[in-house]
Amino acid sequence: FRRVLFRSVMHALRAGIEKSNALGAPENITIVDEGGNLLGFVRMDGAKTFSTMPSHKKAISAASHRQPSGRLDPKLEHLFAAATEGKLTNLEGGFPILFAGVCVGGIGVGSGTGAQDCEVARAMLAALGADPL
C-alpha cells in the first residue's frame, strides 16, 4: 500500500512540476494526507522561499475543510487562523484530494499568482484521477 501511495505522490508532484514549467511559474508544492501529515513536497528552483509554509497551510486547509482554500468567508479567515495557531489559510491554491467524494488528502501550491497556483493543483488532481474541482 505504501509503495502505491508513494508512486501516486511522486506522479502528482511530477505533474505539478510539468504544469509549473509550462506556465513559467516555479512553485512550492505540498501534498498532505487527510490529517494534514506531509506526504510530499518540492520547492522548484526560483520558487519564492516564503511561499513554502503557505503551500503547506493551503494543503492542510483544503484537506481539513474538504474544499478548495480561498472559499472561506473573509470575515472568518482571521478567526480560523487564530484558532489553529496559523495552520489554516484562506489563500487560493489549496485543493482537497477527493475520490468519489471521500477526502484522502490535500494539495497546496504557492509562489505564483493565485490563478497559477490553482492551475497547477488542478493538473495534479487530474494526474491522480481524483474528483475534479
Side-chain angles (χ1 to χ4, degrees):
F1 174 73
R2 286 194 176 277
R3 202 176 316 192
V4 171
L5 180 60
F6 180 74
R7 279 186 287 203
S8 296
V9 168
M10 295 305 292
H11 181 65
L13 289 173
R14 276 192 299 276
I17 290 167
E18 288 175 15
K19 187 61 162 182
S20 295
N21 284 332
L23 294 172
E27 299 277 13
N28 293 292
I29 303 170
T30 303
I31 301 175
V32 298
D33 67 14
E34 72 282 1
N37 301 296
L38 184 63
L39 297 177
F41 172 78
V42 65
R43 180 179 174 274
M44 296 174 63
D45 288 344
K48 296 171 189 162
T49 302
F50 287 112
S51 294
T52 300
M53 285 307 295
S55 76
H56 192 117
K57 291 177 183 184
K58 290 175 185 185
I60 292 171
S61 298
S64 173
H65 284 85
R66 274 60 171 165
Q67 67 177 356
S69 61
R71 291 191 180 173
L72 293 174
D73 181 343
K75 291 179 238 159
L76 300 176
E77 65 187 46
H78 295 294
L79 295 173
F80 278 113
T84 62
E85 298 178 349
K87 288 186 178 77
L88 295 183
T89 184
N90 203 29
L91 296 171
E92 290 182 316
F95 286 81
I97 303 170
L98 304 170
F99 290 98
V102 176
C103 184
V104 299
I107 293 170
V109 181
S111 189
T113 65
Q116 289 169 326
D117 296 349
C118 290
E119 198 170 337
V120 170
R122 283 190 179 99
M124 295 170 67
L125 291 174
L128 289 171
D131 298 350
L133 295 170

